[in-house]
Amino acid sequence: MKISDLLTIVVPLKNRCSYTFRIINFFYKTEFPFQVVFADGGMDEKVEQILSHTGSKFRYYRAPYDTNITDFSKKMLVTYNDYVDTPYSILMDNDD
């Protein structure tokens, strides 16, 4: 098993597209080896449009708008249950 098959990076999103584009650019430039899932609870559709052209490099989940902690928690639950299929995962904010 390759190391890239062991870890998924989960990036929760809510608007702040400039930060998201910066991290997508970083992942491409560094040929980031791990799976990345973007869990988007924002209103802006720019990220979804950009990621739809990346092929299988990233996974994207468009959740309902995060209006409160319950919505955010549901988004993360669906993300982990339906989009993460590696034994290990880590959360990474898009502004880190």
Side-chain angles (χ1 to χ4, degrees):
M1 181 176 277
K2 299 181 297 187
I3 194 165
S4 60
D5 295 331
L6 296 175
L7 178 68
T8 299
I9 309 297
V10 176
V11 184
L13 305 176
K14 184 176 178 183
N15 305 321
R16 302 186 314 171
C17 291
S18 62
Y19 290 113
T20 303
F21 295 145
R22 184 183 68 180
I23 202 167
I24 291 169
N25 190 38
F26 168 78
F27 288 147
Y28 265 111
K29 284 185 175 182
T30 61
E31 297 181 14
F32 197 72
F34 300 105
Q35 297 178 43
V36 179
V37 177
F38 291 94
D40 194 351
M43 294 182 115
D44 198 320
E45 296 179 1
K46 292 177 191 171
V47 174
E48 186 173 12
Q49 292 169 356
I50 295 294
L51 290 176
S52 69
H53 298 290
T54 62
S56 63
K57 180 82 175 165
F58 307 114
R59 297 177 83 184
Y60 179 81
Y61 168 54
R62 162 63 77 182
Y65 185 70
D66 293 347
T67 55
N68 54 46
I69 191 66
T70 301
D71 294 339
F72 175 80
S73 297
K74 287 178 185 177
K75 172 181 76 176
M76 298 312 294
L77 182 64
V78 169
T79 300
Y80 274 94
N81 285 337
D82 297 348
Y83 292 86
V84 175
D85 53 10
T86 57
Y88 303 101
S89 64
I90 189 168
L91 282 175
M92 178 180 178
D93 285 332
N94 63 351
D95 61 351
D96 285 346

